[in-house]
Amino acid sequence: MVSLSTLKTLIFTLGPLLLPRIISYFRTVRTKSLTSPVPIRPTPSTIIPSLNILFISTVLFLLSTLPHFSPPNIFTLTSSRILTPNDVLFTRLSLIHPNAALTPIDELLRPRLASLDARCLYLTYGPSVLAHCPFCNSDSPSSYLYYALPSLLLPHILHLFALGLATSGSISGKEGSRWRTTAVIVGTVLAAGDLYLLASYDFKANARAARAEDLVHFHWRMRTFRGIAIAIADVGLAGLLWAAATNRMFVVPPSVAERMEGAMRVLESVRGRLGAVGIVRNVVVRDEGLRRKGEVYWKREGQVMAEVMDEREVVEGISGALGSGRVQVATIEEEARKYAEGIVGGIDGIGVLGAETR
């Protein structure tokens, strides 16, 4: 197994090279997201169930690292060395239990912990494997690995199931399904890494431990690391889901078909409103009372605007603006001409198109 000193060397060697690149990558992604035409939006309701699933998974795997949910460790409970005689070891253990009685699993372990290799295997694979494996023996250490595989892979299978639910299209929609491959890869890498660490660990490393403090409780340590690593992976995936779904990072611009569909919806809405305005206008024109009120309103409006334009302050303001050149009358007239031609030209184009279709 890779030693702690080797890991430290790799971290101090590769860290200064990789860390700036990682920071630069996230800054680039963040900048693209901020300059993207797609606006930041609130958390969509479609990914809330996925976030809840990942939260529950994180909490459960963190709870699994607590000592209360871990199997008891004989050497930790009795503060014994690896070479402590078997009778002394289990006598100390019995004094810890109520009524000085051993548990059923302790009775199974008592004859199997007689040798040094068996005790090293106990610290590597845990009490359940050593107590219940029917075909394992110290002469074939790999047999313990084969028996431990189901219990080793079970939490990773459950984790992959949770990741599959969280990134399912039926639960999280397209916001979550785009991360399905990434989630499966992360879960598989965690399982493969866990299996590699157990398979490559030298179970005889504890044979050289002279004191109880020098013992490496590999099985219990790996339970803790496993739960923390899976929880970190779940938190990271939840962060990716949230950032991508709210368009804060990893923004995917809408496709041409989606943009056209959105534009068509807007045009249909505008067309409906224009139709409603036309209906109201038609009703006003056809009704004599409403038509008379409309005529009175516009006549009164003309009188009011004429009175306003005849006021001295307005006349002086218009004269000053025209005289100083702040208002270009020719430019305004040209823009009005183009605007009117655009409207009339659009109507003429519609008429020509209708005539051609007929």
Side-chain angles (χ1 to χ4, degrees):
M1 191 185 85
V2 180
S3 62
L4 183 60
S5 59
T6 305
L7 288 176
K8 289 181 179 179
T9 304
L10 290 175
I11 291 173
F12 284 114
T13 303
L14 300 178
L17 299 175
L18 296 178
L19 187 60
R21 295 178 180 272
I22 295 174
I23 295 175
S24 176
Y25 169 75
F26 276 99
R27 285 179 177 174
T28 303
V29 173
R30 180 64 176 168
T31 302
K32 289 182 179 179
S33 301
L34 293 176
T35 57
S36 173
V38 182
I40 294 177
R41 60 176 180 175
T43 304
S45 59
T46 53
I47 70 161
I48 291 179
S50 298
L51 297 179
N52 290 335
I53 291 172
L54 293 174
F55 173 75
I56 294 172
S57 174
T58 301
V59 172
L60 292 178
F61 279 105
L62 286 178
L63 289 177
S64 69
T65 63
L66 298 178
H68 178 74
F69 299 100
S70 299
N73 187 340
I74 293 176
F75 294 95
T76 302
L77 293 175
T78 60
S79 301
S80 300
R81 297 178 298 108
I82 192 72
L83 296 176
T84 301
N86 213 34
D87 293 338
V88 176
L89 179 65
F90 282 91
T91 300
R92 292 176 180 175
L93 185 61
S94 64
L95 294 176
I96 297 174
H97 295 308
N99 302 322
L102 296 175
T103 62
I105 193 170
D106 294 335
E107 296 291 352
L108 292 174
L109 287 171
R110 185 166 189 167
R112 303 191 181 193
L113 290 179
S115 65
L116 179 61
D117 286 349
R119 295 186 177 192
C120 292
L121 290 167
Y122 171 87
L123 294 174
T124 303
Y125 295 101
S128 179
V129 173
L130 202 73
H132 298 111
C133 181
F135 57 86
C136 302
N137 59 76
S138 302
D139 297 331
S140 178
S142 59
S143 59
Y144 290 93
L145 175 63
Y146 301 146
Y147 185 81
L149 277 179
S151 59
L152 173 69
L153 295 177
L154 178 60
H156 293 288
I157 293 173
L158 295 176
H159 181 227
L160 284 171
F161 178 73
L163 293 179
L165 281 180
T167 56
S168 172
S170 59
I171 294 179
S172 58
K174 63 180 182 179
E175 289 86 359
S177 60
R178 61 179 288 205
W179 298 102
R180 193 176 186 85
T181 303
T182 303
V184 172
I185 292 174
V186 170
T188 304
V189 168
L190 288 176
D194 196 356
L195 179 59
Y196 169 76
L197 291 175
L198 180 60
S200 61
Y201 179 70
D202 182 12
F203 76 96
K204 291 187 177 182
N206 282 312
R208 297 181 294 271
R211 300 177 302 170
E213 295 79 9
D214 298 333
L215 292 176
V216 178
H217 307 279
F218 183 80
H219 174 73
W220 289 265
R221 184 176 295 180
M222 287 303 299
R223 281 181 59 92
T224 303
F225 289 165
R226 184 184 304 122
I228 293 175
I230 291 176
I232 292 174
D234 288 342
V235 171
L237 180 60
L240 290 177
L241 280 173
W242 176 79
T246 56
N247 297 330
R248 285 177 167 82
M249 295 180 69
F250 311 104
V251 178
V252 177
S255 63
V256 176
E258 291 175 340
R259 291 198 296 269
M260 291 183 62
E261 183 180 354
M264 290 301 296
R265 285 198 298 266
V266 173
L267 290 175
E268 287 293 334
S269 176
V270 173
R271 180 176 176 275
R273 294 180 182 181
L274 289 176
V277 172
I279 293 172
V280 173
R281 178 63 179 168
N282 190 26
V283 171
V284 171
V285 172
R286 291 176 180 274
D287 186 90
E288 183 178 354
L290 293 176
R291 185 173 63 252
R292 187 178 298 110
K293 288 182 180 180
E295 293 173 354
V296 171
Y297 169 79
W298 287 113
K299 186 182 296 185
R300 177 60 181 167
E301 182 72 13
Q303 294 174 357
V304 171
M305 291 303 300
E307 293 175 359
V308 171
M309 297 300 293
D310 290 338
E311 291 183 0
R312 180 179 178 181
E313 292 83 358
V314 176
V315 173
E316 292 177 352
I318 294 174
S319 300
L322 294 174
S324 62
R326 289 179 298 170
V327 177
Q328 300 292 334
V329 178
T331 304
I332 295 176
E333 290 179 349
E334 180 66 18
E335 291 179 354
R337 183 185 65 80
K338 291 181 179 180
Y339 179 75
E341 288 180 353
I343 296 176
V344 176
I347 296 174
D348 292 342
I350 294 174
V352 171
L353 181 61
E356 289 178 354
T357 55
R358 288 194 295 270

